[in-house]
Amino acid sequence: MDKYAKLFSKAALIYLALGAFLGIGISVRPDWGERIRFVHIHLNLLGFMIMMIASVAYHVLPRFNARPLPWPEGVKYHFYLQNVGLLGMVSTHFAGGLWTNGALHYLFVLSAVMAGGGILLMIVNLYGVLAPADAGTLPARITGDMKVGEALDKFPNALPVFLASGFDSLANPVARKTFAKVVTIDKACEKHGVDAQEFVQKLNAALFSRSAPPTPPGRPSTEASAKEGRKIKMGEFCAADVMVGSLVKVYSETREVFEKHYGEECFSCPGHAIETVEQSAQMHNVDLEALLKELNCVVELQLKKRR
Ligand code: HEM
Ligand code: HEM
Protein backbone atom coordinates (compact mmCIF):
# COMPACT_ATOMS: atom_id res chain seq x y z
CA MET A 1 0.00 0.00 0.00
CA ASP A 2 1.30 3.49 -0.83
CA LYS A 3 2.44 5.76 1.99
CA TYR A 4 -0.45 8.22 1.88
CA ALA A 5 -3.12 5.56 1.29
CA LYS A 6 -1.88 3.91 4.48
CA LEU A 7 -1.72 7.23 6.38
CA PHE A 8 -5.36 7.83 5.43
CA SER A 9 -6.34 4.51 7.08
CA LYS A 10 -4.37 5.31 10.22
CA ALA A 11 -5.84 8.82 10.48
CA ALA A 12 -9.33 7.38 9.89
CA LEU A 13 -8.95 4.99 12.84
CA ILE A 14 -7.72 7.76 15.11
CA TYR A 15 -10.73 9.92 14.18
CA LEU A 16 -13.06 6.98 14.83
CA ALA A 17 -11.62 6.57 18.31
CA LEU A 18 -11.98 10.32 19.02
CA GLY A 19 -15.47 10.44 17.48
CA ALA A 20 -16.71 7.46 19.46
CA PHE A 21 -15.22 8.93 22.62
CA LEU A 22 -17.15 12.18 22.06
CA GLY A 23 -20.32 10.17 21.24
CA ILE A 24 -20.04 8.51 24.63
CA GLY A 25 -19.48 11.98 26.09
CA ILE A 26 -22.77 13.23 24.58
CA SER A 27 -24.56 10.09 25.81
CA VAL A 28 -23.41 10.78 29.36
CA ARG A 29 -23.98 14.53 29.23
CA PRO A 30 -26.64 15.32 26.58
CA ASP A 31 -26.29 19.02 27.45
CA TRP A 32 -22.75 18.90 25.91
CA GLY A 33 -24.37 17.82 22.66
CA GLU A 34 -24.94 21.37 21.44
CA ARG A 35 -21.19 22.07 21.58
CA ILE A 36 -19.69 18.80 20.45
CA ARG A 37 -22.37 17.29 18.22
CA PHE A 38 -20.73 18.87 15.13
CA VAL A 39 -17.30 17.67 16.27
CA HIS A 40 -18.60 14.14 16.87
CA ILE A 41 -20.38 13.97 13.51
CA HIS A 42 -17.50 15.35 11.44
CA LEU A 43 -14.78 13.36 13.14
CA ASN A 44 -16.82 10.26 12.40
CA LEU A 45 -18.07 11.10 8.92
CA LEU A 46 -15.51 13.46 7.40
CA GLY A 47 -12.65 11.96 9.40
CA PHE A 48 -13.29 8.25 9.75
CA MET A 49 -15.72 7.47 6.93
CA ILE A 50 -14.40 9.60 4.07
CA MET A 51 -10.74 8.94 4.92
CA MET A 52 -11.21 5.19 5.16
CA ILE A 53 -13.03 5.24 1.81
CA ALA A 54 -10.20 7.37 0.34
CA SER A 55 -7.56 4.99 1.66
CA VAL A 56 -9.19 1.90 0.16
CA ALA A 57 -10.19 3.61 -3.08
CA TYR A 58 -6.71 5.02 -3.75
CA HIS A 59 -5.25 1.54 -3.31
CA VAL A 60 -7.87 -0.59 -4.99
CA LEU A 61 -9.37 1.39 -7.89
CA PRO A 62 -6.14 1.82 -9.91
CA ARG A 63 -5.51 -1.91 -9.58
CA PHE A 64 -9.06 -2.95 -10.49
CA ASN A 65 -9.02 -0.66 -13.52
CA ALA A 66 -5.37 -1.31 -14.47
CA ARG A 67 -4.92 2.44 -14.68
CA PRO A 68 -2.74 4.66 -12.48
CA LEU A 69 -4.05 7.78 -10.75
CA PRO A 70 -3.78 10.72 -13.18
CA TRP A 71 -2.08 12.78 -10.45
CA PRO A 72 -0.46 10.53 -7.79
CA GLU A 73 1.05 13.57 -6.00
CA GLY A 74 -2.52 14.77 -5.44
CA VAL A 75 -3.04 12.06 -2.79
CA LYS A 76 -0.48 13.79 -0.58
CA TYR A 77 -2.15 17.21 -1.00
CA HIS A 78 -5.57 15.66 -0.35
CA PHE A 79 -4.23 14.11 2.86
CA TYR A 80 -2.90 17.40 4.25
CA LEU A 81 -5.83 19.52 3.09
CA GLN A 82 -8.49 17.24 4.55
CA ASN A 83 -6.70 16.69 7.85
CA VAL A 84 -5.78 20.32 8.47
CA GLY A 85 -9.23 21.36 7.24
CA LEU A 86 -11.08 18.90 9.48
CA LEU A 87 -9.06 19.77 12.58
CA GLY A 88 -9.53 23.48 11.85
CA MET A 89 -13.28 23.01 11.33
CA VAL A 90 -13.93 21.07 14.51
CA SER A 91 -11.77 23.29 16.72
CA THR A 92 -13.18 26.58 15.41
CA HIS A 93 -16.76 25.24 15.48
CA PHE A 94 -16.22 24.07 19.05
CA ALA A 95 -14.99 27.57 19.91
CA GLY A 96 -18.19 29.01 18.43
CA GLY A 97 -16.64 30.08 15.11
CA LEU A 98 -19.74 29.34 13.03
CA TRP A 99 -21.83 31.97 14.74
CA THR A 100 -19.37 34.81 15.34
CA ASN A 101 -18.55 37.47 12.77
CA GLY A 102 -14.88 37.83 13.60
CA ALA A 103 -11.63 36.08 12.70
CA LEU A 104 -12.84 32.78 14.14
CA HIS A 105 -15.59 32.63 11.57
CA TYR A 106 -13.07 33.27 8.76
CA LEU A 107 -10.88 30.53 10.17
CA PHE A 108 -13.83 28.16 10.14
CA VAL A 109 -14.56 29.07 6.52
CA LEU A 110 -10.89 28.68 5.56
CA SER A 111 -10.78 25.23 7.18
CA ALA A 112 -14.03 24.28 5.46
CA VAL A 113 -12.58 25.36 2.09
CA MET A 114 -9.41 23.32 2.74
CA ALA A 115 -11.37 20.19 3.65
CA GLY A 116 -13.63 20.73 0.64
CA GLY A 117 -10.58 21.27 -1.62
CA GLY A 118 -9.06 18.00 -0.43
CA ILE A 119 -12.27 16.16 -1.22
CA LEU A 120 -12.38 17.77 -4.66
CA LEU A 121 -8.86 16.50 -5.38
CA MET A 122 -9.95 13.00 -4.44
CA ILE A 123 -12.97 13.20 -6.73
CA VAL A 124 -10.94 14.41 -9.72
CA ASN A 125 -8.15 11.87 -9.19
CA LEU A 126 -10.44 8.88 -8.70
CA TYR A 127 -12.70 9.94 -11.55
CA GLY A 128 -9.62 9.95 -13.79
CA VAL A 129 -8.95 6.32 -12.88
CA LEU A 130 -12.51 5.35 -13.79
CA ALA A 131 -12.71 7.33 -17.05
CA PRO A 132 -12.70 5.13 -20.17
CA ALA A 133 -9.28 4.51 -21.74
CA ASP A 134 -8.21 6.92 -24.48
CA ALA A 135 -9.13 5.02 -27.61
CA GLY A 136 -6.85 7.26 -29.68
CA THR A 137 -3.55 6.01 -28.21
CA LEU A 138 -3.23 2.94 -30.46
CA PRO A 139 -4.88 2.66 -33.86
CA ALA A 140 -7.01 -0.45 -34.29
CA ARG A 141 -5.14 -1.56 -37.44
CA ILE A 142 -2.18 -0.66 -39.61
CA THR A 143 -3.13 1.12 -42.83
CA GLY A 144 -1.15 1.82 -46.01
CA ASP A 145 -1.16 5.59 -45.50
CA MET A 146 0.54 5.24 -42.12
CA LYS A 147 4.21 6.25 -41.96
CA VAL A 148 6.57 3.26 -41.61
CA GLY A 149 8.19 4.84 -38.52
CA GLU A 150 4.82 5.48 -36.87
CA ALA A 151 3.72 1.88 -37.47
CA LEU A 152 6.96 0.60 -35.92
CA ASP A 153 6.72 2.95 -32.92
CA LYS A 154 3.17 1.88 -32.19
CA PHE A 155 3.61 -1.80 -33.10
CA PRO A 156 7.25 -2.87 -32.49
CA ASN A 157 6.20 -6.45 -33.29
CA ALA A 158 5.73 -5.39 -36.93
CA LEU A 159 9.50 -5.14 -37.48
CA PRO A 160 10.12 -8.85 -38.22
CA VAL A 161 7.31 -8.74 -40.81
CA PHE A 162 8.95 -5.77 -42.56
CA LEU A 163 12.34 -7.48 -42.48
CA ALA A 164 10.94 -10.77 -43.78
CA SER A 165 9.33 -8.90 -46.70
CA GLY A 166 12.60 -7.39 -47.93
CA PHE A 167 12.72 -4.05 -46.09
CA ASP A 168 16.24 -4.89 -44.90
CA SER A 169 17.29 -1.29 -44.28
CA LEU A 170 14.86 -1.16 -41.35
CA ALA A 171 17.19 -3.44 -39.39
CA ASN A 172 19.24 -0.27 -38.93
CA PRO A 173 17.84 1.78 -36.00
CA VAL A 174 19.02 5.03 -37.61
CA ALA A 175 16.92 4.28 -40.70
CA ARG A 176 13.91 3.60 -38.47
CA LYS A 177 14.38 7.01 -36.81
CA THR A 178 14.98 9.00 -40.00
CA PHE A 179 13.52 8.19 -43.41
CA ALA A 180 11.05 5.62 -42.03
CA LYS A 181 9.35 8.54 -40.25
CA VAL A 182 8.53 10.30 -43.54
CA VAL A 183 7.75 7.42 -45.90
CA THR A 184 4.30 5.84 -45.89
CA ILE A 185 3.91 2.07 -46.03
CA ASP A 186 2.30 2.38 -49.49
CA LYS A 187 5.28 4.40 -50.81
CA ALA A 188 7.83 2.00 -49.28
CA CYS A 189 6.05 -0.96 -50.92
CA GLU A 190 6.03 0.82 -54.26
CA LYS A 191 9.80 1.38 -54.04
CA HIS A 192 10.50 -2.23 -53.09
CA GLY A 193 8.10 -3.69 -55.64
CA VAL A 194 5.93 -5.23 -52.91
CA ASP A 195 2.13 -5.44 -53.27
CA ALA A 196 1.04 -2.84 -50.68
CA GLN A 197 -2.46 -4.21 -50.07
CA GLU A 198 -1.18 -7.73 -49.55
CA PHE A 199 1.63 -6.51 -47.28
CA VAL A 200 -0.70 -4.45 -45.05
CA GLN A 201 -2.95 -7.50 -44.77
CA LYS A 202 0.06 -9.59 -43.80
CA LEU A 203 1.08 -7.05 -41.15
CA ASN A 204 -2.37 -6.93 -39.60
CA ALA A 205 -2.73 -10.70 -39.69
CA ALA A 206 0.61 -11.08 -37.91
CA LEU A 207 -0.13 -8.41 -35.32
CA PHE A 208 -3.76 -9.05 -34.54
CA SER A 209 -4.00 -12.81 -34.94
CA ARG A 210 -3.46 -14.82 -31.77
CA SER A 211 0.11 -15.76 -32.54
CA ALA A 212 1.89 -12.43 -33.00
CA PRO A 213 5.53 -12.61 -34.12
CA PRO A 214 8.22 -12.50 -31.46
CA THR A 215 9.56 -9.18 -30.22
CA PRO A 216 12.84 -8.23 -31.92
CA PRO A 217 15.82 -8.67 -29.60
CA GLY A 218 16.72 -5.67 -27.45
CA ARG A 219 13.34 -3.98 -27.93
CA PRO A 220 10.83 -4.62 -25.16
CA SER A 221 7.37 -5.01 -26.65
CA THR A 222 5.33 -1.99 -25.59
CA GLU A 223 2.15 -3.53 -26.92
CA ALA A 224 2.60 -6.75 -25.02
CA SER A 225 3.58 -4.90 -21.86
CA ALA A 226 0.29 -3.01 -21.91
CA LYS A 227 -1.58 -6.32 -21.90
CA GLU A 228 0.11 -9.39 -20.57
CA GLY A 229 3.59 -9.98 -19.28
CA ARG A 230 6.12 -12.68 -20.04
CA LYS A 231 8.20 -15.00 -17.92
CA ILE A 232 11.93 -14.47 -17.58
CA LYS A 233 14.55 -17.25 -17.80
CA MET A 234 17.76 -17.62 -15.78
CA GLY A 235 20.56 -15.84 -17.65
CA GLU A 236 18.26 -13.19 -19.18
CA PHE A 237 18.14 -9.55 -18.09
CA CYS A 238 14.94 -7.90 -16.99
CA ALA A 239 12.79 -5.82 -19.39
CA ALA A 240 9.62 -3.76 -18.88
CA ASP A 241 7.29 -6.58 -19.97
CA VAL A 242 8.59 -9.21 -17.53
CA MET A 243 6.09 -10.28 -14.85
CA VAL A 244 7.17 -9.30 -11.33
CA GLY A 245 6.25 -12.75 -9.98
CA SER A 246 8.41 -14.51 -12.57
CA LEU A 247 11.38 -12.18 -11.99
CA VAL A 248 11.34 -12.71 -8.24
CA LYS A 249 11.05 -16.47 -8.71
CA VAL A 250 14.10 -16.62 -10.99
CA TYR A 251 16.15 -13.86 -9.31
CA SER A 252 15.04 -13.97 -5.67
CA GLU A 253 17.23 -11.00 -4.69
CA THR A 254 15.22 -8.58 -6.86
CA ARG A 255 12.45 -8.90 -4.26
CA GLU A 256 14.30 -6.42 -2.04
CA VAL A 257 14.31 -3.81 -4.81
CA PHE A 258 10.51 -4.01 -5.10
CA GLU A 259 10.09 -3.92 -1.33
CA LYS A 260 12.32 -0.87 -1.13
CA HIS A 261 10.24 1.07 -3.68
CA TYR A 262 6.75 -0.32 -3.10
CA GLY A 263 6.78 -1.15 0.63
CA GLU A 264 7.38 -4.42 2.43
CA GLU A 265 3.82 -5.67 2.12
CA CYS A 266 3.97 -5.36 -1.70
CA PHE A 267 4.13 -9.15 -2.10
CA SER A 268 1.01 -9.69 0.01
CA CYS A 269 -0.97 -8.39 -3.02
CA PRO A 270 -1.78 -11.29 -5.39
CA GLY A 271 -1.49 -8.87 -8.35
CA HIS A 272 2.31 -9.04 -8.25
CA ALA A 273 2.27 -12.51 -9.83
CA ILE A 274 0.88 -11.27 -13.16
CA GLU A 275 1.70 -7.55 -13.12
CA THR A 276 4.61 -6.56 -15.38
CA VAL A 277 7.51 -4.49 -14.08
CA GLU A 278 6.22 -1.59 -16.22
CA GLN A 279 2.67 -1.79 -14.87
CA SER A 280 3.91 -2.04 -11.28
CA ALA A 281 6.13 1.03 -11.76
CA GLN A 282 3.18 2.99 -13.17
CA MET A 283 0.93 1.97 -10.28
CA HIS A 284 3.49 3.07 -7.70
CA ASN A 285 4.60 6.19 -9.54
CA VAL A 286 8.20 4.96 -9.79
CA ASP A 287 10.52 5.83 -12.70
CA LEU A 288 10.61 2.72 -14.94
CA GLU A 289 14.08 3.26 -16.41
CA ALA A 290 15.68 3.78 -12.99
CA LEU A 291 13.86 0.74 -11.59
CA LEU A 292 15.00 -1.47 -14.50
CA LYS A 293 18.59 -0.32 -14.02
CA GLU A 294 18.45 -1.18 -10.34
CA LEU A 295 16.82 -4.56 -10.98
CA ASN A 296 19.39 -5.46 -13.64
CA CYS A 297 22.27 -4.58 -11.29
CA VAL A 298 20.85 -7.12 -8.84
CA VAL A 299 20.32 -9.64 -11.68
CA GLU A 300 23.95 -9.19 -12.76
CA LEU A 301 25.22 -9.71 -9.21
CA GLN A 302 23.12 -12.84 -8.80
CA LEU A 303 24.39 -14.19 -12.13
CA LYS A 304 28.01 -13.51 -11.10
CA LYS A 305 27.48 -15.39 -7.83
CA ARG A 306 26.26 -18.44 -9.75
CA ARG A 307 29.38 -18.57 -11.93
C1 HEM B 1 -19.28 4.74 20.45
C2 HEM B 1 -19.75 5.25 19.35
C3 HEM B 1 -20.76 6.35 19.24
C4 HEM B 1 -21.56 6.92 20.20
C5 HEM B 1 -21.62 6.59 21.69
C6 HEM B 1 -22.37 7.92 19.55
C7 HEM B 1 -23.29 8.73 20.20
C8 HEM B 1 -24.03 9.71 19.60
C9 HEM B 1 -24.91 10.61 20.28
C10 HEM B 1 -25.20 10.60 21.75
C11 HEM B 1 -25.44 11.44 19.36
C12 HEM B 1 -26.38 12.60 19.59
C13 HEM B 1 -27.77 12.24 19.30
C14 HEM B 1 -28.66 13.47 19.41
O1 HEM B 1 -28.19 14.54 19.71
O2 HEM B 1 -29.84 13.29 19.18
C15 HEM B 1 -24.88 11.07 18.07
C16 HEM B 1 -25.20 11.69 16.89
C17 HEM B 1 -24.67 11.30 15.68
N1 HEM B 1 -23.72 10.35 15.47
FE1 HEM B 1 -22.84 9.19 16.83
N2 HEM B 1 -22.06 7.93 18.23
C18 HEM B 1 -21.07 6.99 17.99
C19 HEM B 1 -20.49 6.68 16.81
C20 HEM B 1 -20.83 7.25 15.58
C21 HEM B 1 -20.26 6.88 14.31
C22 HEM B 1 -19.20 5.79 14.12
C23 HEM B 1 -20.85 7.66 13.37
C24 HEM B 1 -20.62 7.71 11.91
C25 HEM B 1 -19.77 6.99 11.24
C26 HEM B 1 -21.79 8.51 14.05
C27 HEM B 1 -22.60 9.46 13.45
C28 HEM B 1 -23.48 10.25 14.10
C29 HEM B 1 -24.35 11.23 13.42
C30 HEM B 1 -24.42 11.46 11.89
C31 HEM B 1 -25.11 11.87 14.40
C32 HEM B 1 -26.13 12.96 14.19
C33 HEM B 1 -27.45 12.29 14.07
C34 HEM B 1 -28.57 13.30 13.87
O3 HEM B 1 -28.34 14.39 13.36
O4 HEM B 1 -29.69 12.96 14.28
N3 HEM B 1 -21.76 8.23 15.41
N4 HEM B 1 -24.03 10.00 18.26
C1 HEM C 1 -15.78 20.02 3.53
C2 HEM C 1 -16.54 19.24 4.18
C3 HEM C 1 -17.67 19.66 5.10
C4 HEM C 1 -18.01 20.88 5.59
C5 HEM C 1 -17.29 22.19 5.34
C6 HEM C 1 -19.18 20.71 6.41
C7 HEM C 1 -19.83 21.75 7.09
C8 HEM C 1 -20.97 21.59 7.85
C9 HEM C 1 -21.65 22.67 8.54
C10 HEM C 1 -21.22 24.12 8.52
C11 HEM C 1 -22.72 22.13 9.18
C12 HEM C 1 -23.74 22.86 10.06
C13 HEM C 1 -23.23 22.87 11.46
C14 HEM C 1 -24.14 23.58 12.47
O1 HEM C 1 -25.26 23.90 12.14
O2 HEM C 1 -23.65 23.76 13.58
C15 HEM C 1 -22.71 20.70 8.91
C16 HEM C 1 -23.61 19.81 9.40
C17 HEM C 1 -23.62 18.47 9.10
N1 HEM C 1 -22.73 17.80 8.29
FE1 HEM C 1 -21.11 18.59 7.39
N2 HEM C 1 -19.53 19.40 6.40
C18 HEM C 1 -18.64 18.72 5.60
C19 HEM C 1 -18.63 17.39 5.31
C20 HEM C 1 -19.59 16.50 5.74
C21 HEM C 1 -19.63 15.12 5.36
C22 HEM C 1 -18.61 14.46 4.42
C23 HEM C 1 -20.69 14.57 5.99
C24 HEM C 1 -21.19 13.17 5.94
C25 HEM C 1 -20.66 12.19 5.26
C26 HEM C 1 -21.34 15.63 6.76
C27 HEM C 1 -22.47 15.47 7.55
C28 HEM C 1 -23.09 16.48 8.25
C29 HEM C 1 -24.26 16.29 9.10
C30 HEM C 1 -24.99 14.96 9.31
C31 HEM C 1 -24.60 17.54 9.62
C32 HEM C 1 -25.74 17.87 10.55
C33 HEM C 1 -25.23 18.05 11.92
C34 HEM C 1 -26.32 18.24 12.96
O3 HEM C 1 -27.36 17.64 12.81
O4 HEM C 1 -26.06 19.01 13.87
N3 HEM C 1 -20.63 16.78 6.59
N4 HEM C 1 -21.63 20.41 8.09
Coordinates of all heavy atoms in Angstrom, one line a residue, residues 16 19-24 26-27 33 37 40-41 44-45 48-49, ligand 1:
L16 N -12.0 7.8 14.3 CA -13.1 7.0 14.8 C -13.0 6.9 16.4 O -14.0 7.0 17.0 CB -13.0 5.6 14.2 CG -14.0 4.6 14.7 CD1 -15.4 5.1 14.4 CD2 -13.8 3.2 14.1
G19 N -14.0 10.2 17.7 CA -15.5 10.4 17.5 C -16.3 9.6 18.4 O -17.3 10.1 19.0
A20 N -15.9 8.3 18.6 CA -16.7 7.5 19.5 C -16.6 8.0 20.9 O -17.6 8.0 21.6 CB -16.2 6.0 19.3
F21 N -15.4 8.4 21.3 CA -15.2 8.9 22.6 C -16.2 10.1 22.9 O -16.8 10.2 23.9 CB -13.7 9.4 22.8 CG -13.4 9.9 24.1 CD1 -13.3 9.1 25.2 CD2 -13.2 11.3 24.2 CE1 -12.9 9.6 26.4 CE2 -12.9 11.8 25.5 CZ -12.7 11.0 26.6
L22 N -16.3 11.0 21.9 CA -17.1 12.2 22.1 C -18.6 11.7 22.1 O -19.4 12.3 22.8 CB -16.9 13.2 20.9 CG -15.6 13.9 21.0 CD1 -15.5 15.0 19.9 CD2 -15.3 14.6 22.3
G23 N -18.9 10.7 21.3 CA -20.3 10.2 21.2 C -20.7 9.7 22.6 O -21.8 9.9 23.1
I24 N -19.8 9.0 23.3 CA -20.0 8.5 24.6 C -20.2 9.7 25.6 O -21.1 9.8 26.4 CB -18.9 7.6 25.1 CG1 -18.9 6.3 24.2 CG2 -19.1 7.2 26.6 CD1 -17.7 5.4 24.5
I26 N -21.4 12.6 24.8 CA -22.8 13.2 24.6 C -23.8 12.3 25.2 O -24.8 12.8 25.8 CB -23.1 13.4 23.1 CG1 -22.0 14.2 22.4 CG2 -24.5 14.1 22.9 CD1 -22.2 14.3 20.8
S27 N -23.6 11.0 25.2 CA -24.6 10.1 25.8 C -24.6 10.4 27.3 O -25.7 10.3 27.9 CB -24.2 8.6 25.6 OG -23.9 8.4 24.2
G33 N -24.1 18.1 24.1 CA -24.4 17.8 22.7 C -24.3 19.0 21.8 O -23.8 19.0 20.7
R37 N -21.7 18.1 19.2 CA -22.4 17.3 18.2 C -21.7 17.4 16.8 O -21.4 16.4 16.2 CB -23.8 17.8 18.2 CG -24.8 17.0 17.4 CD -26.1 17.8 17.4 NE -26.9 17.3 16.3 CZ -27.8 16.3 16.3 NH1 -27.9 15.7 17.5 NH2 -28.5 16.0 15.3
H40 N -18.4 15.6 16.9 CA -18.6 14.1 16.9 C -18.9 13.7 15.4 O -18.3 12.7 14.9 CB -19.8 13.8 17.8 CG -20.3 12.4 17.7 ND1 -19.6 11.3 18.1 CD2 -21.5 12.0 17.2 CE1 -20.4 10.2 17.8 NE2 -21.5 10.6 17.3
I41 N -19.9 14.4 14.8 CA -20.4 14.0 13.5 C -19.3 14.1 12.5 O -19.0 13.2 11.7 CB -21.6 14.9 13.1 CG1 -22.8 14.5 13.9 CG2 -21.9 14.7 11.6 CD1 -24.0 15.5 13.7
N44 N -16.4 11.6 12.9 CA -16.8 10.3 12.4 C -17.1 10.2 10.9 O -16.6 9.2 10.3 CB -18.1 9.8 13.1 CG -17.8 9.2 14.5 OD1 -16.8 8.5 14.7 ND2 -18.7 9.5 15.4
L45 N -17.7 11.2 10.3 CA -18.1 11.1 8.9 C -17.0 11.6 8.0 O -16.6 11.0 7.1 CB -19.4 11.8 8.7 CG -20.6 11.2 9.4 CD1 -21.9 12.0 9.2 CD2 -20.8 9.7 8.9
F48 N -13.4 9.7 9.9 CA -13.3 8.2 9.8 C -13.8 7.7 8.4 O -13.1 7.1 7.6 CB -14.0 7.6 10.9 CG -14.3 6.1 10.7 CD1 -13.2 5.2 10.6 CD2 -15.6 5.6 10.6 CE1 -13.4 3.9 10.3 CE2 -15.8 4.3 10.3 CZ -14.7 3.4 10.2
M49 N -15.1 8.1 8.1 CA -15.7 7.5 6.9 C -15.1 7.9 5.6 O -14.6 7.0 4.8 CB -17.2 7.8 6.9 CG -18.0 6.8 6.2 SD -19.7 7.4 6.2 CE -19.7 8.7 5.0
Ligands
HEM1 C1 -19.3 4.7 20.4 C2 -19.8 5.2 19.3 C3 -20.8 6.4 19.2 C4 -21.6 6.9 20.2 C5 -21.6 6.6 21.7 C6 -22.4 7.9 19.6 C7 -23.3 8.7 20.2 C8 -24.0 9.7 19.6 C9 -24.9 10.6 20.3 C10 -25.2 10.6 21.7 C11 -25.4 11.4 19.4 C12 -26.4 12.6 19.6 C13 -27.8 12.2 19.3 C14 -28.7 13.5 19.4 O1 -28.2 14.5 19.7 O2 -29.8 13.3 19.2 C15 -24.9 11.1 18.1 C16 -25.2 11.7 16.9 C17 -24.7 11.3 15.7 N1 -23.7 10.3 15.5 FE1 -22.8 9.2 16.8 N2 -22.1 7.9 18.2 C18 -21.1 7.0 18.0 C19 -20.5 6.7 16.8 C20 -20.8 7.2 15.6 C21 -20.3 6.9 14.3 C22 -19.2 5.8 14.1 C23 -20.9 7.7 13.4 C24 -20.6 7.7 11.9 C25 -19.8 7.0 11.2 C26 -21.8 8.5 14.1 C27 -22.6 9.5 13.5 C28 -23.5 10.3 14.1 C29 -24.3 11.2 13.4 C30 -24.4 11.5 11.9 C31 -25.1 11.9 14.4 C32 -26.1 13.0 14.2 C33 -27.5 12.3 14.1 C34 -28.6 13.3 13.9 O3 -28.3 14.4 13.4 O4 -29.7 13.0 14.3 N3 -21.8 8.2 15.4 N4 -24.0 10.0 18.3

